Amino acid sequence: MNNSSDQLLLSLSYISIHRVVDRIEQTHQKSYHTMCLFQDRITTSERSFPLKHVFDVSYRPFSGHTGLFYLHTNEGVFTFEIEEEPEQFILLYKQIQSK
């Protein structure tokens, strides 16, 4: 009964930064989430993208320990701040798409 498309292949942590404003000050709250790669989709904490709607994934590192991971879809480009190298995630995504 186990569907192979439900098996998690690889995950990638990303950061969300939310601005919080109260009467006295403005602060930024950082939270960590996980992007998951399955055989048929990529999921984030807020959305699920079928791989047939994902055209490409890419990464641009910054000086320091962070970079931006881009998810190119039929709905536009979604950007995620990450602290780890996404090389394995990108390679596995490209392997799945080439099948």
Side-chain angles (χ1 to χ4, degrees):
M1 293 283 223
N2 235 357
N3 189 346
S4 65
S5 66
D6 288 337
Q7 182 180 359
L8 174 63
L9 301 176
L10 202 58
S11 64
L12 181 66
S13 295
Y14 67 94
I15 303 165
S16 292
I17 298 176
H18 299 281
R19 186 176 74 166
V20 179
V21 180
D22 63 19
R23 285 195 218 167
I24 300 172
E25 66 182 352
Q26 171 181 302
T27 59
H28 294 90
Q29 294 179 342
K30 185 187 285 192
S31 58
Y32 290 86
H33 305 278
T34 304
M35 181 181 303
C36 300
L37 176 62
F38 296 90
Q39 195 68 36
D40 64 341
R41 69 193 180 280
I42 294 176
T43 63
T44 67
S45 64
E46 297 179 0
R47 298 191 61 157
S48 181
F49 302 92
L51 286 188
K52 64 183 177 184
H53 295 162
V54 178
F55 304 133
D56 197 13
V57 294
S58 60
Y59 173 66
R60 180 177 177 123
F62 292 140
S63 59
H65 298 289
T66 65
L68 293 179
F69 183 83
Y70 299 98
L71 195 58
H72 306 263
T73 75
N74 66 337
E75 296 180 43
V77 178
F78 294 82
T79 306
F80 302 90
E81 183 178 352
I82 62 174
E83 293 179 333
E84 62 185 274
E85 285 290 325
E87 184 177 325
Q88 289 298 108
F89 195 95
I90 292 171
L91 287 173
L92 186 54
Y93 162 79
K94 290 185 187 252
Q95 285 177 350
I96 293 169
Q97 287 294 66
S98 67
K99 290 181 182 178

